[in-house]
Amino acid sequence: PVLLGLRRRPVPIEIHKYFLFGGILILLSLMLIPLVSITPQPIAPPSPNTSPSPLIRISDPPYHIPEVNVSIEPNEKQPTEKLSTSSCLPPQDRCSMYITTVPDTGAGLGHQHAQRDDALLVALEINSMLQEAGKNTTNICYVYHPLQHSKHSGGNQWEQVLGFNVGWRLRMHDASIKKLGSKQIKKFKDKDKHTAADYAQLILSQKTNNNTLYQMPGTTLFSHCSSVPVWRCLYHEHNKLGEEPNLFTPPSGQAKKTLTNIVLHVRRGDAKKHPERVFPLTYYRELANVVVKALQFNPDDISFHIFSDETNDRIFQPLIKSLQLLSSEKVQLHLTASVTNVFRHLVLADILLMSKSGMSHLAGMLSKKLKFAVPFWHATDCDATWVSVNEQWHTFNHTEALAKWDQVQKEHPS
């Protein structure tokens, strides 16, 4: 305007006000557009069929567990539990922790089973503690582990014939179990005979999250009495040993009559490497003599059966002659029976004179009849069907033994 000689005219103040007001409106509109364009999403109410997966943490004594919903919704880490198919088993639901034992490969039947039973014993103990404390909203669940190959027989064979594998909802080789976090339980350093309660206290004293699989150490507990009802029930309801020949059947041609079958389990084989585990045959001779007198048996009513893994039958002749003086029936020596059939007859025996053997002990645990046992590395006083024997003097409480025998006869007649 200066070059053209034009005179600049001033802009009225009202126009400045309009421009200023309009600019403010435009700025406010630009700021509000993103906010009003977002449509708020409604929050869906929780489904009545779902429940939270709470983090369960066990603290130090007194082992406080938060109150949680009893239904834990499975996720990718929690095993999908199968429905139980046996009434013999303890509760297997509301699992927050898991426990198992891996049996020693190559160990005998009794030793392997005692090892895996350790985990069940601890699970039963922990759940009992939680229930007594009023914390019954969660469980530690036992994970069943199959038997390994045994020096007695293949693990799969024992699993089939014993019936122990029926109904467990959680098994060690399930894919879902492999997803759990694992924690090895250490052995106690001292050499005391520790119980399931000791290991239960050890686990509960640690701060632990759910979805943890505890593994018990390889040693076996002293007492296996708490789990007897479980294994005894499984065996008597699901075992498949009935296909084996019944060696208690009288020889053909003889009149069948009810006999009290007294079985002597003479453990030899690899046990010879451990002299402290081998009873001399004189032990069985003296004990059988005392048992017959204490229980007031008539020679016509009893039958003796000797089961052994010894191969030399000649060493048994002095024992057979002694037993023959106590019974009118011919003493039966069984050295060639299959190991599974031997086990079956140890369980079926009306009276079992046990050896220092894990296999003999397991048979005694499953048996509902009378057992005479020398105390050894496992408890032999679980119920009224056990009679404790003094190894050196072959003695026991005669009055108590007779009362126990009378009770066994009433509950489980021959």
Side-chain angles (χ1 to χ4, degrees), residues 334-348:
H334 308 282
L335 302 183
T336 59
S338 68
V339 64
T340 52
N341 205 21
V342 169
F343 185 83
R344 176 198 181 200
H345 284 80
L346 299 185
V347 178
L348 286 176

Side-chain angles (χ1 to χ4, degrees), residues 78-339:
Q78 288 176 323
T80 301
E81 298 172 354
K82 305 170 186 176
L83 293 178
S84 174
T85 57
S86 176
S87 59
C88 302
L89 306 182
Q92 301 178 80
D93 55 358
R94 300 173 298 171
C95 304
S96 63
M97 297 181 295
Y98 306 84
I99 189 168
T100 193
T101 312
V102 180
D104 289 342
T105 302
L109 168 65
H111 186 79
Q112 281 197 42
H113 180 74
Q115 285 181 317
R116 68 177 180 180
D117 187 40
D118 286 353
L120 177 59
L121 291 165
V122 175
L124 293 173
E125 187 67 32
I126 289 178
N127 291 332
S128 176
M129 289 180 177
L130 297 178
Q131 187 174 12
E132 290 179 2
K135 305 299 181 181
N136 57 352
T137 57
T138 183
N139 284 324
I140 180 169
C141 291
Y142 172 68
V143 177
Y144 182 85
H145 198 298
L147 294 169
Q148 309 280 13
H149 181 75
S150 165
K151 57 189 176 184
H152 294 151
S153 186
N156 289 335
Q157 181 182 5
W158 281 115
E159 290 293 332
Q160 292 296 320
V161 300
L162 293 178
F164 286 168
N165 60 343
V166 176
W168 295 105
R169 301 166 72 178
L170 301 167
R171 299 168 185 269
M172 189 59 184
H173 299 308
D174 290 350
S176 55
I177 293 296
K178 296 179 181 179
K179 298 178 182 179
L180 296 173
S182 180
K183 189 169 185 178
Q184 183 71 42
I185 302 174
K186 296 182 180 179
K187 302 177 184 179
F188 286 98
K189 294 182 179 180
D190 56 71
K191 296 182 179 180
D192 293 340
K193 294 180 179 179
H194 288 283
T195 65
D198 294 329
Y199 281 99
Q201 295 280 3
L202 178 64
I203 292 174
L204 290 177
S205 65
Q206 303 176 21
K207 293 183 178 181
T208 308
N209 294 336
N210 57 340
N211 297 330
T212 298
L213 174 64
Y214 285 98
Q215 292 194 34
M216 289 287 291
T219 55
T220 61
L221 299 175
F222 173 68
S223 176
H224 289 259
C225 298
S226 299
S227 61
V228 167
V230 175
W231 302 115
R232 185 180 288 177
C233 177
L234 284 172
Y235 176 84
H236 287 282
E237 287 194 8
H238 303 291
N239 84 80
K240 297 180 181 179
L241 292 174
E243 300 174 0
E244 301 266 15
N246 185 354
L247 302 179
F248 290 158
T249 303
S252 58
Q254 292 187 10
K256 293 184 178 180
K257 61 180 181 179
T258 302
L259 294 171
T260 297
N261 293 297
I262 303 177
V263 168
L264 289 66
H265 185 212
V266 182
R267 184 75 167 88
R268 289 295 185 266
D270 62 306
K272 293 179 180 179
K273 300 177 182 178
H274 308 279
E276 70 280 2
R277 295 179 53 188
V278 176
F279 290 139
L281 295 182
T282 53
Y283 165 83
Y284 295 97
R285 182 191 67 196
E286 297 299 328
L287 180 58
N289 190 30
V290 177
V291 167
V292 169
K293 293 180 179 179
L295 302 187
Q296 304 172 6
F297 282 125
N298 188 307
D300 295 333
D301 297 331
I302 58 177
S303 177
F304 285 103
H305 295 263
I306 304 172
F307 289 90
S308 179
D309 50 357
E310 174 63 64
T311 57
N312 184 6
D313 61 343
R314 291 179 297 178
I315 67 172
F316 291 98
Q317 295 309 311
L319 175 61
I320 292 175
K321 290 181 180 179
S322 297
L323 297 177
Q324 200 63 71
L325 299 176
L326 303 174
S327 172
S328 302
E329 298 291 325
K330 181 180 179 180
V331 176
Q332 303 290 325
L333 177 63
H334 308 282
L335 302 183
T336 59
S338 68
V339 64

